[in-house]
Amino acid sequence: SDQYALIAVQGPKAAGLLARVTQPDPGGLPYYGFLEGKVAGFPALVSRTGYTGEDGFEVYCRPEDAEAIFRRLLDEGQPEGVMPCGLGARDTLRLEAKMALYGNDIDDTVTAYEADLGWIVKMGKGDFVGRDALAAQKAAGVPRKLVGFEMVERGIARHGYPAKTAAGEGVVTSGTHSPTLGKPIGLALLPT
């Protein structure tokens, strides 16, 4: 909403950087944990989350405090090479880590099992919307699955491109050039 700004602090130096400018130190937070405190002297909510496949944190603050917090993080991290990056870099990193992006790789037509996210489904925790459908799908097997692929020739597979296998036709959900792997990669929803 327009009530919050978000600054993602990601990578192997994120915990050390935030420890120097955040009270209390968020370094002991478990993954998906959060705390309320101050970052660079401004009130903020800090969570140990992110979408890069790296350890990291997200700082939620008032929009009017975001620039000052951002600049302090950059100044504090400059000796270590901390630098800003945009959503394109985040998208490449999350794709390398096979982290599905809502609206690209998953939406309300893709189940957690099809997206290879069954680890987040807690069937033993009681009733929830869609529980019966997920239980039936788990028992019968998924009709399609989100899978990673690499291109064997030069090119980038883009969202919406057809993807064919011996089992039938699916669709590319994400694709880019992976700087880490040095080749084009992607995700596709394919029939099992």
Side-chain angles (χ1 to χ4, degrees):
S1 76
D2 59 2
Q3 297 177 25
Y4 297 95
L6 181 138
I7 301 167
V9 184
Q10 302 291 301
K13 298 176 182 175
L17 172 59
L18 276 175
R20 296 191 302 271
V21 299
T22 305
Q23 292 81 39
D25 179 352
L29 283 175
Y31 191 52
Y32 283 110
F34 70 93
L35 62 81
E36 291 184 68
K38 291 192 174 187
V39 178
F42 297 95
L45 178 72
V46 178
S47 63
R48 194 164 208 156
T49 54
Y51 227 62
T52 62
E54 288 276 359
D55 186 23
F57 299 81
E58 291 178 313
V59 176
Y60 304 85
C61 62
R62 296 179 305 210
E64 59 268 24
D65 301 337
E67 183 178 353
I69 293 171
F70 185 75
R71 290 189 184 284
R72 175 72 191 280
L73 289 166
L74 287 178
D75 290 345
E76 187 70 32
Q78 183 185 23
E80 298 168 300
V82 171
M83 65 179 76
C85 67
L87 290 176
R90 187 277 330 249
D91 194 50
T92 299
L93 291 168
R94 71 98 191 154
L95 185 53
E96 289 176 343
K98 196 188 177 208
M99 299 179 90
L101 180 63
Y102 193 86
N104 267 46
D105 309 303
I106 55 176
D107 59 24
D108 61 358
T109 69
V110 180
T111 70
Y113 293 130
E114 291 170 330
D116 203 22
L117 295 172
W119 61 274
I120 64 172
V121 177
K122 306 298 183 211
M123 297 299 261
K125 283 199 160 189
D127 197 23
F128 56 87
V129 174
R131 186 184 193 291
D132 293 341
L134 284 175
Q137 190 176 63
K138 186 173 183 178
V142 294
R144 60 187 181 165
K145 192 160 190 169
L146 186 67
V147 297
F149 65 88
E150 66 180 65
M151 299 288 286
V152 294
E153 295 179 6
R154 188 175 170 175
I156 303 294
R158 296 292 181 203
H159 179 84
Y161 280 15
K164 296 181 182 181
T165 70
E169 188 168 312
V171 64
V172 171
T173 59
S174 291
T176 193
H177 179 79
S178 165
T180 304
L181 301 172
K183 57 185 159 189
I185 62 170
L187 291 174
L189 268 172
L190 297 173
T192 53

